[in-house]
Amino acid sequence: MFNKPIDIVYTWVDGNDKEWQKEKSFWQQKLGIEGDNANDCRFIDNQELKYSLRSIAKYAPWINHIFIITNGQIPTWLDTNHPKITIVNHKEIMPEEALPTFNSEAIETCIANIPNLSEHFLYANDDCFINKATTPDFFFDKYGKPIIRMNKYYWSPNMKKEIIYCTNVEYCQKLINKNFNLNYHNIECCHNIMPLRKSSFIRCKQTFLQEFNETTNNKFRKENSIQNIIISLWEIAVNKSKLIIDRNEKYYKKNAKTAYFTLTNANDLKQKICKYAPTLFCINDDEYTNPENRIKLKSLLWELFPKPQPWEKPKDYQIKPAFDDKNSINIVFCPDNFYTKYFGVLLQSIIDNSKPDKNYDLLIFETDISENNKKLLLKMIPSNFSLRFVNVTEYIYENFGDLNFSARNHWSIATFYRLFIPFIMKNYKKVLYLDSDMCTNHNIDELFEIDMDTAELLAVKDTVSPILNKYKERKNYMQKILGLKEPEQYFNAGCVLFNLKNIEIEDYKTKLLNAFEINDLWFLDQDIMNMIFEGKTKLIHNKWNYIWGSCLWTPHYISQIITDATYKKMFIEAKTEPYIIHYTTSKKPWNTVGVEHADIFWHYARKTPFYEEILFNNIKKASLPKNNKMDYHFLERILSIKNRGQHKVLTILGIRFKIRRK
């Protein structure tokens, strides 16, 4: 096995930096650069570098030193004092007349100028990752020659003309072919971590010095420039380094050596990585990537590489209150992007029932809510409200990365967000959590006024708890699997008030970790909360969490199922005048019109910026007798209604419509 020092070199830029964007824009205008030559997707920072370095630490701990080439920017999370990390400024390796540069090809021509760089090194972009334990002989043979991995390509004539990357790969092939009388064509470097030798790099550059220098001085990408493939081709031509031809993605097999994925298919990334189990993979950003895909990428990388490294600065994950007022109303929600429109209705109901002399500190724990939906929600917020979006996935993976979230019926980690409120909201005394399929029909402040004494949680008894004599299998599960001593006190976790000052955090953590040892929980986070808070929960009136699904699915729930007279009286009161309606089950007011308390949902819905979208989706999915058809294009126009006063369209809610396309 090759056993000499091997460094790794990264090129990195923070394309989100406003000052950098101004400088780039200035030079683009000055030089008349546009299109593919300065595509923004090449510069966007999705924090891939952090996770690429974690993959190195996990699967290639033998790496000697890490060099990160930047224009002077430094990742906010990086501790530059760590002895294994060196930041290399463009000024240290590139001629002054070439700066500033916005061209990775230009930067790559100067890599060998890095002071103290080892003879053998790896070169990587920040979107490249190691996925399995590797040894140096994956990259270099026993003589120290790079093992070159390339792909065959089948580019169309238009691609070769219009895409600069393609143009420059073919340009480099022609240079090598002409100089060495060879015939390389239709191959490209696997866009991944590549092995290089400094001495070969320097000799190749000397061979094509004019072409290298011209590329170095291009501030933006330009046709007929040096691409890093030329170093690998030179190694093969001159030093007879080993060439391995891999295939493109559609020919990937299990345990592929390298894999290339695009961020536009973010939904399939995890599945593909598991399917092909590549040793190396790249996730490439491109012009077709949307913000939602970039958010999903971060969640995936957190999941794949959860362990922080010594070169990362400690991060304070504690959420600070939005108001100085110690009596503010603090509420956490966890909707995903799809559910945002329905959460907007809950938000409107809270606003309408709020008090102007109170402050409301609202937090959304999320991973994928679009920027547009965030803007729409923020527009709804009055002056005494604060609404913040918090991505807690990073905290969870970095502090509880060993918990097996994915093993539970493929539920998302977001399902468990509420369980981590005691860890990240220590600066609060009381925090209310609400599911997003709810509406409040009463001032929510009163929940915070209930005396909790020594209780750690405030909740409402679940509607199955008083009738466990009819559901013996469920009762047996609660006793034997969850270990509940009083299953009749089992509560619903859709509305819970945490009394944080009473929760002993280490005890809570121990119980949480023990709960996650149980596989195949029926009700996931709700079961876990009941295990943790049994005997420490104060149960309150059902009107604070009226679970409408009980009567919807079991029409005789009150008359024939409930036997406890006290509970029956309380449930009827909640049904008659609910303070919070919890639209449980798959039947919701937006897909099942004309049912109990659906009118409350629609009352608040029509005040939100999501009204037309909710309404249109309701109509589009509904069925209808043959004599009640409505033209599809008319329904399309519903979405364009902007005047909130035009509520005549509500008359259609009494009928279930079927869309007829022309």
Side-chain angles (χ1 to χ4, degrees), residues 267-312:
N267 292 329
D268 302 327
L269 282 176
K270 183 178 179 181
Q271 179 184 356
K272 287 182 178 179
I273 292 170
C274 292
K275 179 180 179 180
Y276 300 124
T279 303
L280 309 178
F281 68 84
C282 168
I283 302 177
N284 191 242
D285 205 333
D286 61 28
E287 62 269 31
Y288 304 108
T289 302
N290 59 42
E292 288 74 22
N293 287 333
R294 294 191 175 97
I295 291 171
K296 290 175 182 176
L297 171 66
K298 291 180 181 179
S299 297
L300 173 63
L301 294 178
W302 287 326
E303 186 173 349
L304 292 174
F305 309 111
K307 187 177 180 180
Q309 293 303 310
W311 49 71
E312 296 177 30

Side-chain angles (χ1 to χ4, degrees), residues 486-497:
E486 297 183 88
E488 294 79 10
Q489 303 301 307
Y490 183 93
F491 57 84
N492 182 277
C495 171
V496 289
L497 181 67

Side-chain angles (χ1 to χ4, degrees), residues 23 69 93 104 189-190 205 209 221 256 425 553 565 574 638 645 657:
E23 188 173 37
I69 304 175
I93 61 173
S104 61
C189 286
C190 299
K205 185 172 182 177
L209 187 58
R221 289 197 179 192
M425 300 189 73
W553 287 108
I638 291 176
F657 288 96

Side-chain angles (χ1 to χ4, degrees), residues 388-427:
R388 290 176 286 170
F389 302 89
V390 182
N391 194 325
V392 298
T393 310
E394 184 174 8
Y395 166 80
I396 295 172
Y397 275 125
E398 293 188 359
N399 291 273
F400 296 89
D402 294 332
L403 295 183
N404 192 359
F405 297 103
S406 60
R408 288 165 167 76
N409 301 322
H410 306 290
W411 286 79
S412 164
I413 187 176
T415 307
F416 303 96
Y417 280 166
R418 75 194 78 182
L419 299 175
F420 298 93
I421 288 175
F423 296 111
I424 58 180
M425 300 189 73
K426 294 178 183 178
N427 295 314

Side-chain angles (χ1 to χ4, degrees), residues 176 228 251 256 501 594 619 637 649:
I176 291 289
N228 57 42
Y251 296 113
K501 63 182 178 64
I619 299 166
R637 289 195 293 272
V649 72

Side-chain angles (χ1 to χ4, degrees), residues 77-131:
W77 49 267
L78 183 65
D79 179 4
T80 56
N81 293 319
H82 192 277
K84 196 167 183 174
I85 301 283
T86 297
I87 296 292
V88 180
N89 196 300
H90 293 170
K91 296 177 181 178
E92 296 178 59
I93 61 173
M94 299 184 71
E96 185 177 351
E97 59 271 19
L99 300 176
T101 186
F102 309 92
N103 180 2
S104 61
E105 292 180 341
I107 300 166
E108 289 168 359
T109 63
C110 300
I111 287 177
N113 297 338
I114 295 175
N116 302 316
L117 178 65
S118 64
E119 164 67 5
H120 297 84
F121 67 96
L122 307 179
Y123 172 62
N125 294 138
D126 58 1
D127 56 3
C128 298
F129 307 88
I130 301 182
N131 191 46

Side-chain angles (χ1 to χ4, degrees), residues 316-358:
D316 181 11
Y317 288 100
Q318 287 300 316
I319 300 171
K320 295 178 173 57
F323 301 102
D324 293 333
D325 181 6
K326 296 180 180 179
N327 296 316
S328 69
I329 307 304
N330 315 307
I331 315 176
V332 170
F333 315 89
C334 302
D336 60 14
N337 190 55
F338 172 80
Y339 236 79
T340 302
K341 50 185 172 290
Y342 308 122
F343 163 72
V345 180
L346 168 60
L347 176 60
Q348 186 64 53
S349 70
I350 293 173
I351 293 170
D352 282 8
N353 290 288
S354 65
K355 294 181 179 178
D357 60 340
K358 285 279 189 178

Side-chain angles (χ1 to χ4, degrees), residues 111-121 140 196-204 231 235:
I111 287 177
N113 297 338
I114 295 175
N116 302 316
L117 178 65
S118 64
E119 164 67 5
H120 297 84
F121 67 96
F140 296 95
L196 296 166
R197 289 191 293 186
K198 186 163 65 173
S199 59
S200 297
F201 195 114
I202 293 171
R203 290 172 62 196
C204 178
I231 313 295
E235 279 279 11

